[in-house]
Amino acid sequence: MEIIDNIHEMQSRSEALKMAGHSVALVPTMGFFHEGHLELMRVGKIHADDLVVSIFVNPMQFGPSEDYAEYPRDMDSDLEKAERVGTGIVFCPTAEQMYPDGFQTKIGAEKLSGRLCGISRPGHFDGVLTVVAKLFHITKPHLAIFGQKDYQQLTIISRMVKDLNMDIRIVGVPVVREPDGIAMSSRNSYLSPDERKSALCMKQSLDLAGEMYARGERRVPEMRAALERIILDQPFTEIDYVSFCHPTTLEEVEVIDGETVLALAVMVGKTRLIDNCIIAKGQ
Ligand code: AMP
C-alpha cells in the first residue's frame, strides 16, 4: 500500500493510473476507521481497479465550537486496517497543504445545505462540498463511495456532481451498525457506557416508525410525537431534529405518500449523533 501525503504527488499518481487504463475509486474519510469505513472500501474495490482512501480531518467543515481538536485520530491503526482490506493508496494531506494562506474559494448548495444538519451546523456543508471537490480534483476518481449514514451529505454531493458536471459516479453504501443496532460512527468513542445505552433509542425510534408505517400510519405529526417520546424517555438525550423528508430535495413532508427519509439528529450528553432510514422504499 502506498501512502501519499503530497497533493502534487497524488495528482501525478492518479494521472498515471488513468493513463494506464485503470479505473479509480475514491473513499473520502476523516479516519478513525470502523467497519462502516471498511465496508465503503470493500465496495470501492469491487467497482474499480484501484482504490484510493483519503484520510483528512477537514477543519473547514467544523464550526468554531465543534470538536475539530478532539476528533479521534489514529493513523497507525487506520493504515493497518486500510491495508487489510486491500487499499492501494492512502492519501493523507496536511491542513496547511489543503488550505494554504490566501485560500478563499468555497462550494455551497443553496437549498440542501440549509436543511436538517445545516440548521444547527451553519457552513458545515460548504466545508464538506469544498473538500470533496478538492479531493476529486486531486485523486481524479471514476467513482466515489459515500455512506448513507450521512444521508444529507450523500444527497448534497450527488447534487454537486450533477450541477457541476463532474464525471464521477457516486455510490451510496447502506448504514453499517453495531450488533445492538447503533450506527457505527467515529464519534461513538465519545460516549460513556450509560450514554451509549441511551443512544440505542435512535435505532429503536427508526424501527418504531417502520412498524407504525406497516400498521398503516401515514401522518407524520403522529409518528414524530411517538419517536420523540422514545428518545426523550432516555437520560442524556436532547433532540436536534426528527425529520421526515423527501429523498432528494430533503423538503419536510407531513404525510407519507411515497419514499421518505426519516433522519434523526440527537445530542447524547455532549455527543451529536445522526441516523436515518428510508420508509416506503421504492414506492
Ligand atoms: P467520516 O470519516 O465519518 O467522515 O466518514 C467517511 C465516510 O464513511 C462517509 O461517507 C460516511 O458516510 C461513511 N460512514 C461513516 N459511518 C458509516 C456507517 N456506520 N455506515 C456506512 N457508512 C458510514
Side-chain angles (χ1 to χ4, degrees):
M1 188 175 76
E2 290 171 67
I3 301 162
I4 301 180
D5 60 8
N6 180 279
I7 291 176
H8 301 294
E9 193 184 334
M10 185 69 238
Q11 279 176 317
S12 23
R13 193 69 188 89
S14 289
E15 197 54 45
L17 289 173
K18 280 190 132 171
M19 295 297 282
H22 289 209
S23 57
V24 175
L26 171 68
V27 174
T29 79
M30 299 206 298
F32 208 67
F33 292 155
H34 49 65
E35 264 306 308
H37 295 112
L38 303 184
E39 185 60 19
L40 267 56
M41 296 176 206
R42 291 186 196 106
V43 171
K45 272 193 70 73
I46 292 170
H47 284 88
D49 300 318
D50 287 290
L51 172 63
V52 178
V53 173
S54 63
I55 302 178
F56 180 61
V57 183
N58 173 32
M60 193 176 168
Q61 71 190 66
F62 288 79
S65 58
E66 291 184 350
D67 56 342
Y68 175 67
E70 303 89 62
Y71 195 82
R73 294 159 167 92
D74 189 345
M75 189 55 88
D76 290 345
S77 156
D78 285 351
L79 294 176
E80 192 201 302
K81 288 173 179 164
E83 181 150 38
R84 235 188 293 139
V85 296
T87 301
I89 300 175
V90 170
F91 174 55
C92 44
T94 59
E96 291 71 28
Q97 266 192 91
M98 291 292 273
Y99 300 110
D101 278 351
F103 185 93
Q104 56 189 283
T105 305
K106 67 182 180 194
I107 300 185
E110 220 170 295
K111 292 183 188 146
L112 290 174
S113 291
R115 301 194 198 285
L116 306 179
C117 292
I119 297 170
S120 58
R121 305 188 72 189
H124 169 68
F125 289 108
D126 292 357
V128 169
L129 288 177
T130 305
V131 81
V132 168
K134 282 168 71 69
L135 290 168
F136 285 174
H137 290 305
I138 295 166
T139 63
K140 311 170 200 277
H142 295 85
L143 70 149
I145 327 293
F146 294 88
Q148 287 169 6
K149 153 89 173 13
D150 298 87
Y151 187 89
Q152 185 175 15
Q153 171 174 287
L154 173 61
T155 305
I156 294 184
I157 288 166
S158 304
R159 189 73 245 174
M160 171 181 76
V161 164
K162 213 175 198 174
D163 288 351
L164 300 184
N165 306 103
M166 295 175 169
D167 196 8
I168 297 169
R169 185 154 68 92
I170 302 299
V171 176
V173 172
V175 183
V176 177
R177 299 180 179 281
E178 300 283 357
D180 62 6
I182 290 189
M184 290 195 177
S185 164
S186 305
R187 288 191 170 97
N188 289 349
S189 63
Y190 297 151
L191 299 171
S192 70
D194 284 342
E195 287 172 342
R196 203 181 176 292
K197 257 184 235 156
S198 290
L200 284 169
C201 67
M202 295 181 70
K203 176 64 163 63
Q204 284 161 358
S205 59
L206 297 179
D207 290 346
L208 175 65
E211 285 159 26
M212 290 176 84
Y213 180 81
R215 286 200 299 267
E217 183 61 84
R218 298 292 181 269
R219 298 164 302 172
V220 164
E222 274 67 11
M223 292 172 93
R224 182 183 287 116
L227 271 50
E228 287 183 350
R229 267 198 301 278
I230 289 197
I231 296 168
L232 295 176
D233 260 0
Q234 294 301 316
F236 316 115
T237 55
E238 192 186 318
I239 294 173
D240 181 358
Y241 60 75
V242 172
S243 169
F244 290 78
C245 60
H246 185 275
T248 49
T249 65
L250 305 183
E251 276 166 18
E252 297 288 329
V253 301
E254 286 303 304
V255 175
I256 299 179
D257 60 0
E259 199 168 287
T260 301
V261 175
L262 165 54
L264 311 176
V266 174
M267 292 296 298
V268 181
K270 288 195 167 65
T271 307
R272 187 173 182 283
L273 299 177
I274 56 172
D275 203 344
N276 70 80
C277 68
I278 297 177
I279 297 178
K281 206 173 172 114
Q283 287 175 31

